[in-house]
């Protein structure tokens, strides 16, 4: 294996360089995704979307970010200051670590841990602490409601998410993302695990708080949910985190079910990104098509439908593998 | 008796809290404020506080002569301004016993029904928006825009039409208008199928609306509900049928009723069906549009209804809209009471909301199709 | 339960099909400053004084009907009777468009039909006084010549009328004389226009 | 006169209005009522499946006297049979509540209190409806003076010469 981490080594300068690279990717990626989201929604709704800044309005989000950065950071009087200030950081920080775990192509990975999948699931649950800190620290009823909903939702949907991942782990006998992806050279696992793939994708959409599961920030009832009181770039960081989280969920889905970088003709990394952004497009398509579920329906959907289905799937997988 | 809330929250009960929904809130459709008493996400009490959009239409009516109130009439409810505008004209014609030429009557019906469809479309869009679906909102607006273009071509305005006059209408329709209207009808019949696919059949949409916010038949008499809210509860009452005004008795249409006992989904199906019935009326009206004048020959220059009370009701897009005009024989009314349907529908909220979830509040408010300025007048 | 889930899933897919189809249709919005939509023929905006062919200018006679009928009280008209003329001419016609509600009642009552709607649609301003329009501006510079021609026309019309009346009276007188000679009826002829 | 109208007029304090004296265009039956009889009448209408269409308050005060008047209008679903109950009140207006009979009367009564200053006795929650709670005055009274008279534009009635048929 040509070790990508060798380029940076295990040393501090390497870690720094990796961090910078990931930060750069996160920023550019979020800018493009926001543009894409706006274009997709516009086309679905038979509008044009951004057209003015740059070709096809590509630079529109850059301008928006410049505006957000230029804005005064307002800290309302009534907030719990430490929590309020640290919340955006808490939401954003775990995502940096997560991106470093994703193999983009054969050997293109910063750190190929043996337990990468566990690490990934653990880290991706961390940002809920940030969301709750934002809701609690804002000292605002809407924000608090949004935060409470977010916590309940994320905890509920972790379970089907995990249950959908376990069959893959059983099949490959590995927790390393790189190895799981490599194992799919012949065929992607979605062909043998379609149910797990669907459950993973639904639960993943819920994990990222995207529509139709966007109840923590349900704008029609909770104004803006947990980030009601945030403005300027603090709000921007929440936004950045949401889009990065989307990339992570879709990357993992690609690795687990869609065969990672495997594909004919095109180079591996290109296949990988094609699959990831294809999934992201589907998520956007969801968002602009469906109404939002109610909170209790969301919970019962997780516990009454997704968890039993995932359990049955797990059972069937183990039985079949044992035979 | 509706349980009313104390003005000071009960600080001793740490499990419950008060939430001011509005006056600035994305889903109150204007500046409505509802004080919600909540336990977690469950609503224990609701107290709508209105008046933020109060524009004193009734006081204005007492300070103007009858003709000068005309532009106000469509501003009472700006989403179905045509219906309200024509209703005021019809009320005055009714009071001074002025006959309207047949052509003007049919034109009024076409415009009124187009306006009803546009109002229902806006309701559909905002209601799905309240439930979190953004796209049907813009599809609804797109079709509504087509109606506004058609109405714009004869009235010159897009929202607050001042199209009716006592004794007729201001401008005659031309062939272009008739062609566009019938084209729209053909198009919209197909389009409604698309809305059904995208919205009505959607499982999430059904989950959010079925058995939610039941405004049942026992509230009907208490509150004198009207319009789609009443019909969703199962009573086939339509002012256009019970007291046909303005020539509605010439047309053949059905009054849809709800099948599920008056929940949000019933109100949805009733409105969808009403749009189809409106299309039916327009089709018939286009086929039978007579020639002739569009203004009555003898319209008195000074409108002086005989002294006494005059009540005139129409079926607006939201329900029974009544005008209670008390005249003393001069050209300025003593009192011009506007009995608006949203006012009645929102006054049921303290009874309907308790026991539902916070997200349902938004759905229920959306489903009864409130227009806040119409509540406040 | 399973059946419900399946029909639910199918309805979701149908919804996605609808949005997918719409995503490839042409957008219905227009890019405003670049494209402009043509205003409808009936379009209403701030009122203007229409140039009348027979006058060569506006034909506002300061009757004050529009001022009185306006529900928003946003019209101010003043006029004077030019020397040697019977009809009045407006010397001031102002509309506070910030108050106007475009109801069109003023157009309805205008006896000379000289009021019309302008075709503008993109007024904007920084204060409420920016919408105080003086409708006489386009006619100011030719007002004197218009008055001269009107005066001449009026005189001509009056002369013609007088001649006609005189002729009529003469004919009547002749007829009366013919009918009953000796019966003197005082002819109450005087132009009462 | 229908059977219901007969029962209404048989109540104490209610009499049918003379058709010639009172014009109520659009209403089939008109009654004059004492304020004490409103509740009985409302109960009767409720038992006959009628609903309360609106309560309107009028300011009829003039130099010759007169006071406020409440108009209660009842109707029935399915057909149309309007009954209008006119209740003349003294200038220091008090009226009984009918909220316990028709819950929908709640806001109408609060509106009458807010706009005309009619005190509704025994109303469970008599607050202002449309105006802010700290507002003084009752805007729909004829002698209500706006705090800023400059803003208060009165209509200029048309002059007598304009009268005539168009």
């Amino acid at each position: 294996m040509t070790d990508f981490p060798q380029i940076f080594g295990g040393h501090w300068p390497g870690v720094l360089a990796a961090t910078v690279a990931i930060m750069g990717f996160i920023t550019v990626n979020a800018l493009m995704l926001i543009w894409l989201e706006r274009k997709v929604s516009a086309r679905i709704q038979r509008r044009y979307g951004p057209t003015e800044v740059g070709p096809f309005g590509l630079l529109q989000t850059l301008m928006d970010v410049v505006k957000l950065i230029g804005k005064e950071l307002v800290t309302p009087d009534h907030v719990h200051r430490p929590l309020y200030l640290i919340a955006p950081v808490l939401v954003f920080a775990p995502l940096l670590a997560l991106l470093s775990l994703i193999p983009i192509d054969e050997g293109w990975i910063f750190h190929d841990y043996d337990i990468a999948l566990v690490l990934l699931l653990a880290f991706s649950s961390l940002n809920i602490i940030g969301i709750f800190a934002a809701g609690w620290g804002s000292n605002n009823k809407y924000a608090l409601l949004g935060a409470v909903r977010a916590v309940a939702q994320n905890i509920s949907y972790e379970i089907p998410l995990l249950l959908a991942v376990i069959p893959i782990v059983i099949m490959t006998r590995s927790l390393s993302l790189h190895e799981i992806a490599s194992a799919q050279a012949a065929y992607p696992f979605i062909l043998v695990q379609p149910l797990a793939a669907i459950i993973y994708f639904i639960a993943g959409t819920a994990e990222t708080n995207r529509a139709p599961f966007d109840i923590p920030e349900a704008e029609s009832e909770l104004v803006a949910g947990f980030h009601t009181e945030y403005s300027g770039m603090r709000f921007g960081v929440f936004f950045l985190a949401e889009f990065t989280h989307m990339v992570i969920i879709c990357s993992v889905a690609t690795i687990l079910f869609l065969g990672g970088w495997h594909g004919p003709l095109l180079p591996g990394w290109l296949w990988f990104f094609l699959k990831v952004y294809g999934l992201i497009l589907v998520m956007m398509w969801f968002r602009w098509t469906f109404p939002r579920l109610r909170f209790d329906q969301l919970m019962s959907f997780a516990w009454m439908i997704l968890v039993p289905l995932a359990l049955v799937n797990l059972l069937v997988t183990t039985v079949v593998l044992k035979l | 008796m509706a349980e009313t809330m104390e003005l000071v929250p009960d600080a001793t009960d740490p499990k419950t809290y008060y939430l001011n929904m509005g006056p600035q809130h994305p889903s109150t459709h204007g500046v409505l404020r509802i004080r919600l008493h909540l336990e977690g996400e469950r609503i224990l009490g609701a107290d709508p506080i209105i008046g933020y959009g109060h524009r004193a239409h009734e006081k204005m009516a007492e300070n103007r002569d009858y003709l000068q109130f005309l532009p106000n009439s469509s501003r009472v409810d700006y989403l179905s301004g045509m219906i309200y505008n024509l209703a005021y004209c019809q009320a005055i014609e009714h009071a001074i016993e002025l006959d309207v030429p047949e052509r003007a009557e049919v034109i009024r019906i076409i415009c009124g029904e187009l306006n009803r469809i546009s109002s229902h479309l806006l309701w559909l869009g905002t209601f799905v928006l309240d439930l979190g679906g953004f796209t049907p909102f813009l599809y609804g607006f797109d079709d509504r825009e087509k109606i506004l273009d058609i109405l714009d071509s004869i009235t010159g305005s897009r929202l607050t039409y001042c199209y009716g006059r006592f004794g007729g209408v201001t401008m005659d329709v031309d062939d272009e208008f008739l062609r566009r209207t019938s084209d729209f009808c053909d198009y919209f019949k197909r389009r409604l199928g698309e809305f059904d696919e995208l919205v009505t059949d959607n499982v999430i949409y059904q989950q959010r609306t079925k058995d939610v916010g039941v405004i049942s038949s026992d509230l009907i008499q208490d509150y004198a509900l009207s319009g789609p809210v009443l019909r969703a509860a199962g009573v086939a009452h339509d002012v256009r049928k019970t007291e046909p005004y303005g020539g509605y008795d010439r047309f053949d249409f059905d009054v849809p009723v709800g099948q599920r006992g008056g929940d949000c989904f019933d109100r949805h199906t009733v409105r969808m069906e009403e749009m189809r019935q409106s299309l039916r009326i327009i089709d018939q009206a286009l086929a039978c549009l007579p020639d002739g004048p569009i203004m009555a020959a003898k319209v008195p220059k000074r409108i002086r209804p005989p002294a006494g009370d005059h009540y005139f009701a129409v079926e607006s897009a939201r329900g029974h809209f009544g005008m209670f005009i008390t005249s003393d024989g001069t050209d300025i009314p003593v009192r011009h009471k506007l009995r608006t349907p949203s006012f009645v529908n929102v006054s049921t909220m303290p009874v309907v909301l308790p026991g539902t979830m916070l997200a349902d509040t938004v759905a229920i408010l959306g489903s009864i199709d409130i227009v806040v300025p119409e509540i406040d007048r | 339960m399973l059946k419900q889930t399946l029909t639910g899933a199918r309805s979701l897919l149908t919804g996605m099909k609808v949005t997918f189809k719409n995503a490839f249709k042409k957008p219905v919005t227009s890019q405003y400053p670049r494209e402009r939509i043509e205003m409808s023929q009936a379009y209403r905006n701030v009122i203007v004084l229409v140039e009348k062919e027979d006058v060569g200018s506006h034909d506002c006679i300061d009757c004050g009907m529009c001022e009185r009928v306006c529900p928003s009280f946003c019209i101010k008209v003043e006029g004077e009777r030019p020397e040697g003329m019977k009809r009045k001419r407006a010397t001031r016609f102002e509309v506070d468009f910030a108050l106007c509600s475009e109801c069109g009642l003023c157009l309805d009552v205008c006896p000379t039909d000289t009021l019309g709607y302008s075709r503008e649609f993109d007024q904007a301003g920084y204060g409420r006084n920016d919408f105080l329009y003086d409708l006489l501006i386009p006619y100011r510079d030719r007002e004197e010549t218009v008055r001269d021609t009107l005066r001449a026309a009026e005189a001509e019309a009056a002369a013609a009328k007088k001649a006609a009346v005189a002729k009529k009276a003469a004919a009547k007188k002749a007829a009366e004389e013919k009918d009953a000679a000796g019966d003197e009826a005082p002819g109450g002829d005087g132009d009462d226009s | 006169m229908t059977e219901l109208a007969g029962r209404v007029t048989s109540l104490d304090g209610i009499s049918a209005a003379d058709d010639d004296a009172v014009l109520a265009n659009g209403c089939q039956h008109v009654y004059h009522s004492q304020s004490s009889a409103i509740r009985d009448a409302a109960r009767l209408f409720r038992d006959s499946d009628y609903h309360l269409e609106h309560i309107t308050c009028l300011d009829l005060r003039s130099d010759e006297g007169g006071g406020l008047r409440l108009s209660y209008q009842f109707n029935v679903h399915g057909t149309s049979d309007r009954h209008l109950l006119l209740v003349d009140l003294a200038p220091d207006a008090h009226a009984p509540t009918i909220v316990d009979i028709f819950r929908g009367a709640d806001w109408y009564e609060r509106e009458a209190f807010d706009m005309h200053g009619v005190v509704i006795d025994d109303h469970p929650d008599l607050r202002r409806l449309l105006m802010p709670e700290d507002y003084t005055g009752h805007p729909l009274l004829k002698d209500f003076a706006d705090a800023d008279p400059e803003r208060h534009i009165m209509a200029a009635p048309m002059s007598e010469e304009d009268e005539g048929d168009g």
Side-chain angles (χ1 to χ4, degrees):
Chain A
M1 188 159 74
T2 49
D3 241 0
F4 198 59
Q6 305 277 300
I7 302 168
F8 294 129
H11 312 295
W12 279 112
V15 173
L16 203 66
T19 314
V20 169
I22 291 172
M23 283 293 279
F25 172 73
I26 286 179
T27 317
V28 174
N29 171 64
L31 289 182
M32 292 332 288
L33 277 186
I34 293 169
W35 172 83
L36 187 68
E37 172 112 54
R38 291 175 70 173
K39 274 293 186 191
V40 166
S41 68
R43 295 310 301 201
I44 283 180
Q45 293 157 0
R46 305 184 66 184
R47 298 184 284 118
Y48 287 97
T51 53
E52 294 298 311
V53 191
F56 308 106
L58 270 169
L59 300 180
Q60 181 66 51
T61 24
L62 192 65
M63 293 297 122
D64 290 346
V65 169
V66 169
K67 183 200 77 175
L68 279 180
I69 291 173
K71 277 194 158 186
E72 185 192 352
L73 288 172
V74 181
T75 310
D77 267 351
H78 55 73
V79 299
H80 186 284
R81 277 186 80 89
L83 280 181
Y84 178 83
L85 294 181
I86 202 154
V89 182
L90 279 181
V91 171
F92 190 66
L95 301 172
L96 279 178
L98 285 176
L99 272 181
S100 69
L101 298 172
I102 309 248
I104 294 163
D105 197 349
E106 180 86 45
W108 282 34
I109 185 167
F110 289 116
H111 291 286
D112 184 17
Y113 289 113
D114 286 344
I115 50 155
L117 196 55
V118 174
L119 208 63
L120 196 132
L121 291 169
F123 267 99
S124 78
S125 315
L126 265 184
N127 76 338
I128 195 63
I129 295 173
I131 289 180
F132 194 72
W136 184 266
S138 292
N139 194 9
N140 171 312
K141 286 168 188 168
Y142 289 114
L144 181 62
L145 272 173
V148 170
R149 284 175 173 198
V151 171
Q153 174 180 342
N154 278 38
I155 289 173
S156 305
Y157 277 84
E158 293 272 285
I159 294 162
L161 194 78
L162 274 171
L163 289 175
V165 169
I166 291 173
I168 306 292
V169 176
I170 297 173
M171 279 165 71
T172 53
R173 293 161 189 275
S174 167
L175 283 168
S176 153
L177 289 174
H178 195 275
E179 273 175 38
I180 291 175
S182 305
Q184 298 177 63
Y187 57 88
F189 284 156
I190 190 171
L191 296 180
V192 285
Q193 287 288 353
L195 193 58
I198 291 170
I199 291 170
Y200 176 85
F201 196 58
I202 292 174
T205 314
E207 278 281 289
T208 49
N209 301 339
R210 295 273 307 176
F213 307 107
D214 59 343
I215 56 161
E217 47 197 292
E219 75 276 353
S220 58
E221 52 216 65
L222 295 187
V223 188
F226 58 86
H227 56 66
T228 306
E229 296 281 5
Y230 285 88
S231 60
M233 207 47 211
R234 283 181 196 148
F235 160 76
V237 168
F238 279 113
F239 219 63
L240 215 62
E242 183 187 322
F243 279 92
T244 312
H245 209 156
M246 261 168 86
V247 175
I248 289 165
I249 290 288
C250 290
S251 305
V252 176
T254 307
I255 291 162
L256 293 183
F257 299 103
L258 296 182
W261 56 81
H262 294 294
L265 300 174
L266 299 173
W269 59 271
L270 193 57
W271 266 115
F272 180 81
F273 281 114
L274 277 180
K275 287 171 186 171
V276 170
Y277 286 103
L279 284 179
I280 289 175
L281 273 176
V282 174
M283 272 178 148
M284 289 175 177
W285 189 6
F286 279 170
R287 170 162 179 189
W288 298 107
T289 305
F290 301 134
R292 180 182 305 123
L293 283 159
R294 200 173 63 209
F295 182 58
D296 54 328
Q297 290 162 351
L298 182 93
M299 299 301 266
S300 68
F301 181 65
W303 291 104
M304 310 295 279
I305 297 180
L306 287 187
V307 171
L309 276 180
L311 281 173
V312 169
N313 187 50
L314 182 60
L315 191 70
V316 171
T317 312
T318 38
V319 170
V320 168
L321 280 182
K322 198 74 196 164
L323 288 175
Chain B
M1 181 48 232
E3 197 182 320
T4 48
M5 275 188 289
E6 290 171 22
L7 288 170
V8 182
D10 184 8
T12 55
D13 187 358
K15 280 186 187 151
T16 68
Y17 59 101
Y18 282 79
L19 182 68
N20 266 316
M21 201 170 143
Q24 274 91 35
H25 187 277
S27 299
T28 49
H29 298 251
V31 275
L32 172 69
R33 172 176 157 211
I34 301 186
R35 261 170 70 89
L36 295 170
H37 188 193
L38 291 162
E39 180 181 17
E41 292 225 10
R42 199 161 290 283
I43 290 158
L44 302 177
D47 180 23
I49 296 166
I50 61 171
Y52 291 92
H54 182 54
R55 291 155 302 160
H57 277 308
E58 291 175 359
K59 187 74 180 176
M60 272 155 123
E62 290 172 22
N63 286 311
R64 278 158 167 68
D65 66 28
Y66 289 97
L67 188 63
Q68 288 180 325
F69 187 71
L70 193 60
N72 286 48
S73 58
S74 54
R75 284 166 174 82
V76 174
D77 172 1
Y78 46 74
L79 295 185
S80 51
M82 182 69 87
I83 300 178
Y84 281 65
N85 180 237
L86 297 177
Y88 179 63
C89 296
Q90 283 162 340
I92 298 299
E93 285 153 10
H94 176 73
I96 60 174
E97 288 171 6
L98 181 69
D99 282 330
V100 180
E102 207 179 328
R103 184 176 173 85
E105 274 195 340
V106 177
I107 292 173
R108 280 178 175 187
I109 283 174
I110 295 174
C111 294
E113 294 306 315
L114 279 175
N115 201 215
R116 191 185 307 277
I117 296 175
S118 80
S119 172
H120 281 353
L121 272 175
L122 191 127
W123 159 81
L124 179 70
T126 51
F127 181 44
V128 185
L129 186 65
D130 287 346
L131 299 180
F134 202 88
T135 299
F137 170 69
L138 283 155
Y139 289 174
F141 260 65
D142 174 18
D143 295 336
R144 177 170 174 269
E145 207 62 20
K146 291 187 169 67
I147 298 179
L148 296 190
D149 280 344
I150 293 173
L151 290 177
D152 186 21
S153 72
I154 56 162
T155 64
S157 32
R158 303 174 68 81
L159 208 61
T160 49
Y161 321 95
C162 194
Y163 182 53
R165 289 289 186 272
F166 305 143
V169 292
T170 45
M171 200 188 241
D172 202 355
V173 300
D174 51 6
D175 292 340
E176 173 73 7
F177 171 85
L178 300 178
R179 191 186 53 75
R180 285 173 75 178
T181 311
S182 74
D183 283 356
F184 174 79
C185 288
D186 294 340
Y187 158 81
F188 194 61
K189 274 170 209 156
R190 291 196 309 276
R191 182 71 164 179
L192 273 173
E194 206 166 80
F195 278 117
D196 278 342
E197 280 184 347
L198 185 59
V199 180
T200 316
D201 296 340
N202 189 299
V203 64
I204 302 177
Y205 183 78
Q206 294 195 2
Q207 288 271 327
R208 284 297 305 274
T209 50
K210 279 187 176 168
D211 301 319
V212 168
V214 179
I215 299 182
S216 61
S217 42
D218 54 318
L219 289 180
I220 291 171
Q221 196 196 358
D222 262 343
Y223 281 98
L225 298 174
S226 59
V229 178
L230 170 70
R231 292 191 278 279
V235 181
H237 176 93
D238 189 318
V239 183
R240 289 176 292 173
K241 283 277 189 199
T242 51
E243 331 164 46
Y245 57 90
Y248 267 109
D249 45 352
R250 259 177 287 165
F251 299 105
D252 184 29
F253 62 98
D254 299 326
V255 179
V257 289
Q259 310 295 333
R260 307 172 43 83
D263 59 10
C264 289
F265 192 66
D266 264 344
R267 295 194 272 282
H268 167 87
T269 46
V270 164
R271 286 205 180 85
M272 293 302 270
E273 187 55 33
E274 259 177 43
M275 285 196 251
R276 293 200 170 87
Q277 297 302 331
S278 290
L279 289 176
R280 253 179 88 188
I281 298 175
I282 295 171
D283 275 344
Q284 294 170 45
L286 288 174
C288 77
L289 184 68
D291 287 332
I294 51 160
M295 273 301 271
K298 282 262 175 200
V299 183
K301 230 179 193 171
R302 305 187 62 168
I303 309 293
R304 286 173 163 170
D309 299 328
H310 305 271
Y311 189 80
F312 189 79
V314 300
E315 182 75 25
S316 87
R318 269 152 273 282
H320 175 126
F321 170 56
M323 271 161 291
F324 185 81
I325 300 170
T326 304
S327 164
D328 56 356
T330 62
D331 39 14
I332 292 174
V334 177
R335 180 85 165 92
H336 188 148
K337 162 91 177 175
L338 302 159
R339 189 257 188 223
T340 50
S342 291
F343 180 86
V344 178
N345 294 343
V346 166
S347 70
T348 61
M349 285 300 106
V351 186
V352 175
L353 286 184
T356 61
M357 310 276 284
L358 181 61
D360 290 336
T361 309
V362 173
I364 295 166
L365 275 179
S367 76
I368 63 172
D369 194 13
I370 50 168
V371 173
V372 176
E374 197 205 5
I375 304 170
D376 299 339
R377 288 154 303 167
Chain C
M1 187 74 194
L2 192 68
K3 201 178 156 220
Q4 268 183 354
T5 315
L6 285 179
T7 48
R10 208 181 65 208
S11 77
L12 295 180
L13 289 177
T14 333
M16 288 174 76
K17 191 188 81 193
V18 173
T19 43
F20 188 75
K21 269 197 301 197
N22 273 292
F24 295 99
K25 287 183 185 160
K26 200 179 169 301
V28 289
T29 51
S30 55
Q31 303 290 85
Y32 162 63
R34 317 221 187 300
E35 316 168 29
R36 288 176 180 231
I37 307 170
E38 208 187 314
M39 291 290 127
S40 80
Q41 280 309 304
Y43 181 69
R44 293 182 184 179
N45 203 292
V46 60
I47 50 170
V48 288
L49 290 170
V50 180
E51 183 165 341
K52 305 289 274 189
E53 291 267 324
D54 51 339
V55 183
S57 172
H58 69 89
D59 196 13
C60 178
I61 54 167
D62 181 33
C63 64
M65 295 281 275
C66 46
E67 199 176 344
R68 246 173 285 145
V69 82
C70 180
S72 317
F73 314 107
C74 64
I75 302 177
K76 279 278 165 296
V77 198
E78 279 170 15
E80 61 178 21
R81 202 181 296 274
E83 259 190 54
M85 267 177 77
K86 268 185 193 133
R87 65 197 310 195
K88 289 163 87 177
R89 293 284 292 168
T91 53
R92 173 176 177 225
F93 199 116
E94 281 172 8
V95 178
D96 187 353
F97 189 52
L99 296 178
C100 175
S101 59
E102 291 156 35
C103 60
L105 292 177
C106 45
L107 268 80
D108 284 3
V109 295
C110 185
T112 56
D113 283 340
T114 194
L115 283 179
Y117 295 114
S118 77
R119 310 289 299 160
E120 285 173 50
F121 64 92
D122 49 359
Q123 296 106 322
Y126 290 101
R128 45 171 82 177
N129 290 337
D130 294 0
F131 298 100
L132 208 60
Y133 290 104
D134 182 357
L135 301 190
L136 287 175
I137 285 177
Y139 304 108
R140 277 265 156 72
D141 47 345
R142 51 181 137 138
E143 179 65 16
E144 278 314 309
T145 51
V146 167
R147 281 186 185 188
D148 288 342
T149 45
L150 275 176
R151 203 173 284 137
E154 221 172 59
E156 201 174 291
K161 197 172 181 188
K162 211 167 187 177
V165 167
K167 202 174 166 188
K168 208 172 158 189
K172 202 176 166 191
K173 212 171 178 183
E176 272 170 7
E177 271 170 5
K178 208 174 175 184
D179 265 11
D183 192 349
E184 292 274 328
D189 58 339
D191 54 346
D192 52 351
S193 57
Chain D
M1 185 171 279
T2 58
E3 188 250 332
L4 178 65
R7 274 163 63 202
V8 174
T9 43
S10 69
L11 291 170
D12 271 352
I14 294 187
S15 57
D18 192 356
D19 277 353
D20 298 332
V22 177
L23 174 81
N25 204 344
C27 296
Q28 279 76 7
H29 306 276
V30 192
Y31 315 96
H32 283 297
S33 166
Q34 306 284 326
S35 62
S36 56
I38 302 171
R39 291 177 56 82
D40 293 337
R43 231 173 257 127
L44 183 63
F45 281 116
R46 190 187 166 90
D47 294 341
S48 317
D49 282 340
Y50 278 60
H51 58 254
L52 175 75
E53 231 159 30
H54 65 88
I55 302 174
T56 298
C57 190
L58 284 84
D59 182 5
L60 296 175
R61 290 174 303 167
S62 62
D63 296 337
E64 295 97 61
L68 301 180
R69 170 190 281 176
L70 284 173
S71 306
Y72 294 74
Q73 188 172 309
F74 299 94
N75 196 2
V76 66
H77 282 309
T79 61
S80 175
D81 181 34
R82 290 211 173 80
H83 296 250
L84 184 66
L85 207 68
L86 305 176
V87 184
D88 283 309
L89 304 172
D92 60 331
H94 274 261
T97 183
I98 58 166
V99 168
D100 48 340
I101 303 165
F102 287 105
R103 273 187 282 184
D106 184 7
W107 281 21
Y108 289 122
E109 289 180 351
R110 275 173 67 188
E111 192 186 14
F113 166 71
D114 187 5
M115 290 292 161
H116 287 91
V118 180
V119 179
I120 309 288
D121 297 325
D122 297 328
H123 189 286
D125 185 27
L126 197 62
R127 282 179 285 148
R128 283 187 178 274
L129 182 71
L130 294 165
M131 307 308 284
E133 275 168 42
D134 52 357
Y135 195 79
T136 50
H138 301 285
L140 277 181
L141 290 177
K142 294 283 181 193
D143 53 5
F144 170 77
D146 199 315
D148 181 6
E150 289 288 300
R151 203 151 39 88
H152 201 64
I153 313 166
M154 297 293 283
M158 291 170 118
S159 66
E160 287 297 322
E161 297 97 77
D162 301 327
E163 196 169 9
D165 290 344

